[in-house]
Amino acid sequence: MTEPLLEVENLKKYFPIKKGLFRRTRGYVKAVDDVSFQLEEGETLGLVGESGCGKSTTGRTILQLLRPTSGRVLYRGQDLTGLNFQQLRPIRREMQMIFQDPYSSLNSRMTIRNILLEPMKIHGLYTKKEREERVEELLELVGLDRGVADRYPHEFSGGQRQRIGIARALTFQPRLIIADEPVSALDVSVQAQVLNLLQELQETFKLTYLFIAHDLSVVKHFSTRVGVMYLGRLVEIADKRRLYQSPRHPYTQALLSAVPVPDPEIKRERIVLSGDVPNPKNPPEGCAFHTRCPECMEICRVERPPMIEVEPGQFTACHLYS
Amino acid sequence: MTALLEVNNLHIAFRKEKSFIPTVEGVSFHVNSRETVGIVGESGCGKSVTSLAIMGLLPRGISRIDYGEILFEGQNLVGLSSEEYRKIRGREISMIFQEPMTSLNPVFTIGDQLMEMVLEHTAQPKKQAFKHSVEMLEKVGIPRAEEIMHDYPHQLSGGMRQRVMIAMALSLNPKLLIADEPTTALDVTIQAQILELMQQIKNDFDTSVIMITHDLGVVAEVCDRVVVMYAGKVVEQGDVKAIFKNPRHPYTIGLLQSVPSLTEERDQLYSIRGSVPLPENMPAGCRFASRCDHAKPECFEHEPPEVQIEGDHTTSCWLYR
Ligand SMILES: Nc1ncnc2c1ncn2[C@@H]1O[C@H](COP(=O)(O)OP(=O)(O)OP(=O)(O)O)[C@@H](O)[C@H]1O
Ligand SMILES: Nc1ncnc2c1ncn2[C@@H]1O[C@H](COP(=O)(O)OP(=O)(O)OP(=O)(O)O)[C@@H](O)[C@H]1O
Ligand code: SF4
Ligand SMILES: [Mg+2]
Ligand SMILES: [Mg+2]
């Protein structure tokens, strides 16, 4: 077997909660709490879960935009967590991020041309002429007319702005793209355009995606494997088909059953969970899901369930299987 | 049977610089008693503006109703004074807004806000209003309702705030509830709770509902009829089954095909090319023509008339003439 493109090992990111006059640390938000997974070259791993469960923090910590509290992030075998800014620079060109909000992620005072030139200038790459050519190439790649280069972001629709964000991420021919909710702010019809574009680009450039989203239908369409997070933890990860057809973790089961299906003739049995997602400042002991779990047992309240391979390629962290 | 609400040929314009630009142009639909009608369509197509017009809450000075009527139990609401509207709003028709945080006042407690609603419209003593408000919170499934009366909005989770909004909207037992994207900001498992709650409340209170959403799954789940809007106009409407099983307007068809499915696998999603025209340069003919695979020459020149497909299933498209 070839080496995975990315290996995330026991990744933790704790944010200190500071309170009081002396800003003393009064505990931690365990935004990412012992997460491990791998990404093979050319695949798309979807990452789903409810708001605040740590999806974005996972993405940012992998890219070292946030430094992990502990754990390792191996990119082509090299651990990024110990590298300094200079050492990370060449690697950063190969790992790019696309953001949810095409409005705030583009500088509103810069033209599209300057937005696309900026990363090349920062990295000090290419001649002036080559840079200009690259801008035109990039626009073409994402299906925008080269004539738009001298316009400003506010002159574009949400879908077009997202294309610009994608063009910028493609500047240095990346191998890994972390897409953080790239279509969540878009209308259904525009969402389909952007998803198709991302898919074409993946085929053309053999891109590997970590695709963060909360829409389970979108993730199913777009991913090869899917990981489900709950309160900073990965609770289940499996091949897409397996995860959607036979989810094992009670949370995955509830999450999937909660998705409304666009067919008025289908009436589904739904697992409606009671209560809210607990506060991440004060997560439950044992299994983080036990306060809402319909299957909760004695052991779930006290002991954190280990990740177990329940079927070949399907891993679940739940005491029902341990 | 007369409809509870009838919107006829409604035209609304918004001011941009010196001139008024039409944003809703000839919208007509109705809501029968105890019915849930869904309104769907691309962002900016006029869903919220239409519902604000029904509520009499269009922003003054920058918007106006140019033409059309809004009949509620036969009475035309267009042109009512603010005094007259105040008697209707909350009591007969109420609304859950798109942004829950902006519609709850951060400086007042949940209790103050719920009770104000009751006190303004009824002659109940304060004690009675308090009791009624607590009951409403309990009805929408809020635990520790009495304690929460003393909490401020920021102390509650998104799902709880949305429940409070629903409690507030229903506290005077209105005949019509307008819910503008009531679950969009919520997680799926919380959305499932709220949708369940809305269904149950609708049955218990005999309320009619206008459900505005971009989630076609939500529409399929809770609506009896669907109104599809595109660029300020209604392009198709009908029974929920007709719309999902036998959609006629190319926009509706495209929209339904663009949604990734949980049950089927597709290599590529269908996608509608292009984007919605801007209000200030609306094309002459059908507004969807530039994105439509079936457009004929007349589509670019003349506005398509409304055609009846079957029963109350209608569409505005030249293909069916
Ligand atoms: N810079 C920060 N400082 C302190 N806490 C943070 C910071 N960034 C994130 N958090 C907290 O970490 C947790 C995880 O946040 P994160 O943004 O990763 O969630 P998410 O899964 O991406 O959610 P969403 O779906 O809402 O985007 C949350 O409780 C959040 O409040
Ligand atoms: N306060 C306002 N001032 C100026 N124009 C407005 C205002 N409110 C709405 N509009 C315009 O009216 C049109 C319809 O807006 P509306 O909010 O009804 O869209 P919508 O269908 O509810 O979209 P969304 O799905 O994004 O909520 C838009 O083109 C918008 O720019
Ligand atoms: S470990 Fe226990 S509480 Fe957690 S999901 Fe499994 S059964 Fe439920
Ligand atoms: Mg996020
Ligand atoms: Mg709206």
Side-chain angles (χ1 to χ4, degrees), chain B residues 14 23 42-49 59 62 98 181 279:
Chain B
F14 270 86
T23 39
E42 213 95 348
S43 180
C45 70
K47 305 181 295 290
S48 297
V49 165
I62 62 161
Q98 203 162 348
E181 307 269 6

Side-chain angles (χ1 to χ4, degrees), chain A residues 28-236:
Chain A
Y28 294 90
V29 175
K30 298 182 176 178
V32 179
D33 195 12
D34 204 357
V35 165
S36 303
F37 60 85
Q38 299 188 344
L39 263 173
E40 305 295 333
E41 179 118 47
E43 79 163 334
T44 300
L45 175 67
L47 206 52
V48 298
E50 292 176 282
S51 186
C53 70
K55 305 181 293 297
S56 298
T57 306
T58 302
R60 287 164 180 275
T61 315
I62 290 172
L63 288 182
Q64 307 299 308
L65 297 172
L66 287 170
R67 291 297 191 162
T69 306
S70 69
R72 301 205 302 166
V73 176
L74 303 176
Y75 176 72
R76 296 166 68 196
Q78 185 180 20
D79 186 4
L80 306 184
T81 57
L83 301 188
N84 66 27
F85 187 79
Q86 279 306 325
Q87 293 166 318
L88 277 172
R89 218 170 201 199
I91 297 167
R92 284 237 164 94
R93 289 181 209 136
E94 294 182 23
M95 306 168 80
Q96 291 288 326
M97 190 142 180
I98 301 171
F99 298 92
Q100 165 173 8
D101 187 354
Y103 291 75
S104 59
S105 65
L106 300 176
N107 186 337
S108 60
R109 279 185 295 262
M110 276 161 79
T111 62
I112 304 310
R113 184 185 308 282
N114 286 329
I115 288 172
L116 293 177
L117 283 172
E118 195 185 34
M120 293 186 260
K121 287 184 185 155
I122 292 175
H123 283 264
L125 289 182
Y126 313 132
T127 64
K128 198 162 177 245
K129 183 155 167 284
E130 283 167 342
R131 284 179 196 163
E132 292 290 339
E133 278 167 10
R134 185 80 185 131
V135 167
E136 305 213 329
E137 260 169 40
L138 290 170
L139 287 173
E140 197 163 316
L141 272 178
V142 298
L144 288 173
D145 192 277
R146 55 181 63 183
V148 305
D150 294 307
R151 300 215 205 141
Y152 290 88
H154 73 262
E155 298 177 63
F156 293 89
S157 70
Q160 288 171 320
R161 270 188 277 237
Q162 197 53 284
R163 286 174 195 268
I164 297 163
I166 295 170
R168 186 176 53 183
L170 291 174
T171 311
F172 305 115
Q173 283 157 349
R175 301 173 69 152
L176 172 67
I177 289 188
I178 298 186
D180 192 358
E181 312 252 6
V183 296
S184 305
L186 305 176
D187 271 320
V188 181
S189 76
V190 183
Q191 169 182 299
Q193 293 173 352
V194 173
L195 288 173
N196 286 343
L197 171 66
L198 287 171
Q199 216 166 11
E200 282 159 27
L201 292 170
Q202 177 166 44
E203 281 157 26
T204 317
F205 299 111
K206 267 194 84 198
L207 295 172
T208 306
Y209 288 129
L210 179 64
F211 183 80
I212 299 171
H214 62 261
D215 184 327
L216 288 135
S217 320
V218 169
V219 167
K220 171 157 191 266
H221 171 75
F222 198 73
S223 316
T224 40
R225 274 192 311 138
V226 178
V228 181
M229 287 186 73
Y230 189 81
L231 275 179
R233 304 167 187 194
L234 198 59
V235 297
E236 182 154 22

Side-chain angles (χ1 to χ4, degrees), chain B residues 91-290:
Chain B
R91 166 135 233 159
E92 305 282 340
I93 310 177
S94 64
M95 180 156 171
I96 306 171
F97 293 88
Q98 203 162 348
E99 296 99 24
M101 226 16 211
T102 55
S103 35
L104 285 172
N105 191 328
V107 301
F108 292 107
T109 63
I110 301 300
D112 289 339
Q113 300 186 54
L114 268 167
M115 281 165 64
E116 189 196 300
M117 182 90 184
V118 180
L119 293 171
E120 192 186 319
H121 286 280
T122 62
Q124 291 182 22
K126 226 172 164 177
K127 216 167 151 191
Q128 186 66 32
F130 184 88
K131 199 167 145 254
H132 178 73
S133 301
V134 172
E135 276 170 19
M136 285 310 299
L137 289 177
E138 282 165 354
K139 278 204 181 101
V140 299
I142 288 185
R144 309 180 295 118
E146 268 207 62
E147 280 171 53
I148 279 177
M149 289 287 280
H150 304 289
D151 280 355
Y152 290 88
H154 74 264
Q155 291 172 281
L156 306 182
S157 68
M160 294 264 267
R161 279 200 289 263
Q162 205 57 295
R163 282 167 196 268
V164 169
M165 295 282 303
I166 295 174
M168 203 177 286
L170 291 174
S171 71
L172 299 169
N173 197 5
K175 298 190 180 100
L176 176 65
L177 173 68
I178 305 176
D180 192 356
E181 307 269 6
T183 58
T184 304
L186 304 176
D187 286 315
V188 267
T189 63
I190 310 296
Q191 167 172 288
Q193 294 172 358
I194 300 288
L195 290 180
E196 188 124 311
L197 168 70
M198 288 188 65
Q199 286 293 65
Q200 178 204 327
I201 275 171
K202 195 188 135 191
N203 296 337
D204 295 354
F205 290 72
D206 279 342
T207 318
S208 303
V209 178
I210 296 179
M211 173 69 99
I212 298 173
T213 174
H214 67 273
D215 186 332
L216 293 165
V218 171
V219 174
E221 198 146 295
V222 305
C223 298
D224 303 307
R225 270 187 316 111
V226 185
V227 176
V228 184
M229 287 183 69
Y230 186 81
K233 288 182 178 284
V234 174
V235 293
E236 182 162 8
Q237 58 181 311
D239 179 82
V240 67
K241 289 208 175 96
I243 296 291
F244 278 84
K245 296 290 160 184
N246 191 17
R248 291 305 182 95
H249 196 285
Y251 174 65
T252 317
I253 297 173
L255 193 65
L256 287 167
Q257 288 184 344
S258 310
V259 192
S261 158
L262 259 194
T263 45
E264 281 166 49
E265 296 259 335
R266 276 178 244 160
D267 276 352
Q268 267 230 322
L269 289 175
Y270 177 83
S271 76
I272 307 175
R273 62 193 151 86
S275 53
V276 190
L278 293 173
E280 50 270 38
N281 42 32
M282 274 301 163
C286 169
R287 300 178 165 197
F288 188 61
S290 64

Side-chain angles (χ1 to χ4, degrees), chain A residues 248-300:
Chain A
R248 291 302 192 85
H249 197 284
Y251 178 63
T252 316
Q253 292 169 352
L255 200 61
L256 283 172
S257 84
V259 181
V261 179
D263 183 340
E265 275 163 5
I266 296 180
K267 290 278 169 269
R268 294 195 311 162
E269 258 322 296
R270 167 165 294 165
I271 310 164
V272 177
L273 294 176
S274 55
D276 282 336
V277 182
N279 189 336
K281 287 174 198 159
N282 194 8
E285 298 279 306
C287 170
F289 184 58
H290 87 253
T291 53
R292 299 171 81 199
C293 181
E295 316 267 356
C296 179
M297 304 167 287
E298 221 25 77
I299 185 174
C300 307

Side-chain angles (χ1 to χ4, degrees), chain B residues 45-91:
Chain B
C45 70
K47 305 181 295 290
S48 297
V49 165
T50 302
S51 42
L52 289 176
I54 298 169
M55 289 294 287
L57 289 175
L58 281 176
R60 276 166 196 282
I62 62 161
S63 64
R64 64 177 194 218
I65 295 182
D66 283 333
Y67 193 82
E69 48 182 22
I70 299 169
L71 301 178
F72 181 75
E73 297 189 305
Q75 181 194 12
N76 190 358
L77 305 183
V78 174
L80 284 193
S81 68
S82 7
E83 200 52 42
E84 289 165 312
Y85 238 119
R86 206 164 301 143
K87 292 196 197 110
I88 291 169
R89 213 182 293 132
R91 166 135 233 159

